[in-house]
């Protein structure tokens, strides 16, 4: 099948040819015609399968014949969980729309907001955004949604894992009820399905690969090693294999810094990328990794989202992730767009439970290799393949559905909050000392001498830390 058979217009076909795309991937074959119909779409697609083009191309075509965008308005909104992914998606859109008179922009935190406000002033057709910065801009009246036609949630499973559900709900309340909604996720987990039911109407459901599976062309290996010897083993492995470009995953930010420092001292140019790094440092590290200035990029799960490097040969898990689904996301950084790739995991005996969960999810016993000189003193127990977990059908979240669709609540009031409560901070109401659920024993014993202590509730602080 060719792209011309999918119903795309000539300007887009010209851009596709210039990009060197020969034939559409399975998700593109399914998603592009479905989105062009104007229906809502719920799609499960692994990272590296071409899903960005799967939604970006038809969205651009649907916008091409539409009206001119008004000042500060947007016509299509694409939400992503991280800055790097937002930047990558907008870069792809900019390349696809080369021969169309459409304007795109990307906004995310960690950088100045004023330049972003200036870009939005004349209106944009496609806005790619992280949830927090989008709410910042709305609070300052820099972005409006009266003209919004299409909403895309990219990597919805990751956004939910990162705690963005409350921000997403706040954003949904700002959008027109009449819109096309597209949700893309690597998995159809329960929380993803609940979100999908709340924001889509009779969606076309697409799943081009079995849920929660790993890309078949990725060769996976496991090396048993003592926890204290992991960094020396990593250094030895990279040197033995003579890898020139390696993405290493660490579970923590502190660990990522320590690993990068140790590798650099061993003669392997390395850099760390994580949420505590400034946006400038993250961008510089990623650029150096892409151009070969550094051999090893050490990343946390969150920071690695959006790292899109063609033909990245190797991914190494120095620590196994806390959740099995994150393993799928991690190794999906290699083996992209049909290319081959390798995924290695250095596993210590205390990670046996995480290993068992991963193998149960991917339905594969990962082959074990030995690394000379690093045989573990504490052997890694053998595992057996357990049957996959049964996923219960999620119940409909009625209240969420009414909020997301913009329908009136039972009390007849509009779900749109008043000015004070619709601000981006969206804090829970501060509770005074007369609230019996709040004051407790402290209020009973000391209410005459001093007012009860107020505890600040600031969910945005947590969200900002995660998004960073």
């Amino acid at each position: 099948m060719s792209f011309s058979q999918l119903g795309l217009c000539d300007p887009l076909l010209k851009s596709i040819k210039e990009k060197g795309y020969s034939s559409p991937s399975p998700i593109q074959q399914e998603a592009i015609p479905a989105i062009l119909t104007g229906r809502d779409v719920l799609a499960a697609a692994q990272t590296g399968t071409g899903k960005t083009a799967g939604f970006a191309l038809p969205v651009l075509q649907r916008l091409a014949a539409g009206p001119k965008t008004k000042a500060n308005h947007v016509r299509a909104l694409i939400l992503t969980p991280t800055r790097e992914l937002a930047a990558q998606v907008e870069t792809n859109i900019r390349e696809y729309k080369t021969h169309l008179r459409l304007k795109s922009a990307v906004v995310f935190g960690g950088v100045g907001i004023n330049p972003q406000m200036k870009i939005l002033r004349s209106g944009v057709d496609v806005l790619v955004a992280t949830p927090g910065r989008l709410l910042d801009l709305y609070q300052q009246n820099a972005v409006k949604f009266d003209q919004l036609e299409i909403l895309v949630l990219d990597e919805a499973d990751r956004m939910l894992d990162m705690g963005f559900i409350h921000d997403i709900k706040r954003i949904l309340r700002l959008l027109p009820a009449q819109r096309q909604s597209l949700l893309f996720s690597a998995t159809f987990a329960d929380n993803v399905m609940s979100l999908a039911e709340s924001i889509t109407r009779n969606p076309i459901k697409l799943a081009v690969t079995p849920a929660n599976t790993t890309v078949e062309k990725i060769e996976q290996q496991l090396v048993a090693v003592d926890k204290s010897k992991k960094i020396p083993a990593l250094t030895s492995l990279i040197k033995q294999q003579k890898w020139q470009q390696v993405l290493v995953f660490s579970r923590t930010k502190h660990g990522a810094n320590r690993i990068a420092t140790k590798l650099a001292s061993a003669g392997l140019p390395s850099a760390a990328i994580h949420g505590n790094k400034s946006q400038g440092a993250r961008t510089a590290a990623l650029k150096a990794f892409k151009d070969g200035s550094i051999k090893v990029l050490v990343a946390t799960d969150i920071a690695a989202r959006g790292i899109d490097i063609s033909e990245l040969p190797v991914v190494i898990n120095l620590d196994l992730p806390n959740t099995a689904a994150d393993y799928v996301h991690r190794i999906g950084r290699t083996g992209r767009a049909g290319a081959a790739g390798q995924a290695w995991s250095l596993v210590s005996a205390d990670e046996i439970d995480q290993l068992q969960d991963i193998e149960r999810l991917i339905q594969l016993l990962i082959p074990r290799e030995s690394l000379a000189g690093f045989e573990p003193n504490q052997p890694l127990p053998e595992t057996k393949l357990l049957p996959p977990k049964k996923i219960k059908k999620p119940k409909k979240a009625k209240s969420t559905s009414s909020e997301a669709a913009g329908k009136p609540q039972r009390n007849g009031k509009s779900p749109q909050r008043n000015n004070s409560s619709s601000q981006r901070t969206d804090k829970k109401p501060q509770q005074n000392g007369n609230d019996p659920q709040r004051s407790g024993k402290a209020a009973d014993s000391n209410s005459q001498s001093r007012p009860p202590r107020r505890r600040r509730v600031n969910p945005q602080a947590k969200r900002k830390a995660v998004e960073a």
Side-chain angles (χ1 to χ4, degrees):
M1 177 179 284
S2 66
F3 281 98
S4 60
Q5 294 175 281
L6 300 179
L8 294 173
C9 60
D10 290 339
L12 288 175
L13 292 175
K14 187 176 179 179
S15 296
I16 290 169
K17 185 177 180 181
E18 292 171 352
K19 286 279 290 179
Y21 296 166
S22 55
S23 58
S25 67
I27 186 59
Q28 291 164 1
Q29 293 179 30
E30 297 288 339
I32 290 174
I35 295 172
L36 287 175
T37 66
R39 292 267 307 276
D40 288 358
V41 171
L42 171 60
Q46 294 175 358
T47 183
T49 57
K51 64 180 174 63
T52 300
F55 64 75
L57 292 170
V59 165
L60 290 172
Q61 178 155 324
R62 284 181 54 77
L63 295 176
K68 183 179 178 180
T69 312
K70 298 177 184 178
N72 294 108
H73 283 73
V74 298
R75 297 175 57 209
L77 173 63
I78 301 173
L79 291 177
T80 70
T82 68
R83 305 169 188 175
E84 283 76 18
L85 181 57
Q88 181 64 44
V89 169
E90 199 274 333
T91 297
N92 290 337
I93 288 174
R94 207 181 320 127
E95 293 169 347
Y96 301 148
K97 70 176 183 64
T98 302
H99 305 289
L100 293 172
R101 293 184 177 181
L102 294 174
K103 185 178 179 182
S104 65
V106 59
V107 296
F108 48 74
V111 296
I113 196 171
N114 289 334
Q116 297 175 355
M117 294 175 68
K118 186 176 180 181
I119 292 172
L120 292 170
R121 201 167 294 158
S122 59
V124 296
D125 297 287
V126 182
L127 179 63
V128 186
T130 52
R133 179 48 59 96
L134 183 68
L135 289 168
D136 277 333
L137 290 163
Y138 179 80
Q139 182 181 358
Q140 300 194 38
N141 295 318
V143 62
K144 301 177 182 179
F145 303 109
D146 297 341
Q147 279 190 283
L148 189 90
E149 302 171 36
I150 303 171
L151 168 67
V152 182
L153 294 186
D154 189 19
E155 301 207 1
D157 54 331
R158 174 53 56 181
M159 277 198 277
L160 294 178
D161 290 344
M162 291 169 63
F164 283 124
I165 184 61
H166 299 297
D167 283 350
I168 292 172
K169 287 181 178 180
R170 282 192 285 274
I171 291 169
L172 291 172
R173 286 194 288 268
L174 306 175
L175 307 182
Q178 295 299 318
R179 63 173 187 268
Q180 183 180 21
S181 298
L182 314 174
L183 187 148
F184 282 73
S185 172
T187 68
F188 275 162
D190 287 3
N191 57 351
V192 175
M193 293 303 297
S194 295
L195 176 62
E197 288 177 353
S198 72
I199 70 171
T200 60
R201 292 172 296 182
N202 190 27
I204 299 173
K205 295 182 180 180
L206 308 175
V208 297
T209 55
N212 298 320
T213 59
T214 51
V215 180
E216 292 180 359
K217 291 193 176 183
I218 299 176
E219 182 183 351
Q220 301 174 66
Q221 282 104 2
L222 180 157
V223 176
V225 62
D226 288 330
K227 189 173 184 177
S228 61
K229 299 291 183 64
K230 280 194 174 186
I231 296 180
L234 171 66
T235 305
S236 177
L237 184 62
I238 294 174
K239 289 182 175 180
Q240 284 183 25
Q241 299 291 333
K242 298 181 180 180
W243 289 320
Q244 298 303 306
Q245 194 178 43
V246 184
L247 176 60
V248 175
F249 279 97
S250 168
R251 193 182 297 135
T252 66
K253 301 169 187 176
H254 174 73
N257 288 335
R258 184 165 52 88
I259 295 162
T261 300
K262 293 283 188 181
L263 291 175
S265 64
L268 296 171
S270 308
I273 179 172
H274 53 70
N276 284 354
K277 296 280 186 179
S278 68
Q279 186 58 39
R282 287 159 67 164
T283 301
L286 188 55
K287 181 179 182 297
F289 185 57
K290 288 182 176 181
D291 65 24
S293 301
I294 60 172
K295 286 186 176 182
V296 186
L297 185 66
V298 187
T300 54
D301 289 297
I302 292 173
R305 303 299 280 197
I307 294 179
D308 188 1
I309 301 167
S310 60
E311 300 180 3
L312 175 65
V314 186
V315 167
I316 300 179
N317 296 299
L318 192 72
D319 306 308
L320 288 185
N322 291 323
T323 62
D326 281 340
Y327 176 84
V328 177
H329 291 303
R330 284 183 177 189
I331 73 170
R333 298 297 107 191
T334 186
R336 299 178 73 81
Q342 296 182 51
W344 291 71
S345 298
L346 304 183
V347 185
S348 53
D350 63 307
E351 296 175 301
I352 186 63
D353 290 338
Q354 291 100 308
L355 175 61
Q356 184 72 74
D357 289 342
I358 289 168
E359 292 180 330
R360 184 176 190 177
L361 179 69
I362 65 177
Q363 284 297 288
L364 172 72
L365 291 177
I366 302 174
R368 301 192 180 196
E369 303 285 343
S370 60
L371 185 61
F374 293 94
E375 294 80 5
N377 293 322
Q378 189 174 358
L380 180 68
E382 293 295 325
T383 54
K384 61 180 181 179
L385 197 61
L386 300 174
K389 293 181 179 180
K390 294 182 180 180
I391 300 177
K392 297 180 181 180
K393 187 176 180 180
K395 296 180 181 180
K396 281 194 175 183
K398 294 182 180 180
S399 59
T400 303
S401 177
S402 63
E403 286 178 358
K407 295 178 182 178
Q409 305 298 313
R410 289 186 177 181
N411 59 10
K413 294 181 180 180
S414 168
Q416 189 75 18
R417 298 182 176 183
N418 59 33
N419 291 337
S420 62
S421 62
S422 64
Q423 298 300 313
R424 179 180 155 302
T425 53
D426 200 18
K427 298 179 180 178
K428 294 180 182 179
Q430 297 288 348
Q431 300 184 8
N432 57 38
N434 295 326
D435 188 341
Q437 296 180 353
R438 183 91 184 37
S439 53
K441 294 180 179 179
D444 291 337
S445 61
N446 202 26
S447 60
Q448 301 300 322
S449 59
R450 63 179 181 179
R453 294 176 60 187
R454 289 176 176 266
R455 189 181 69 157
R456 284 191 171 185
V457 181
N458 189 357
Q460 296 307 314
K462 180 180 179 182
R463 193 262 306 141
K464 281 188 175 180
V466 172
E467 184 179 314

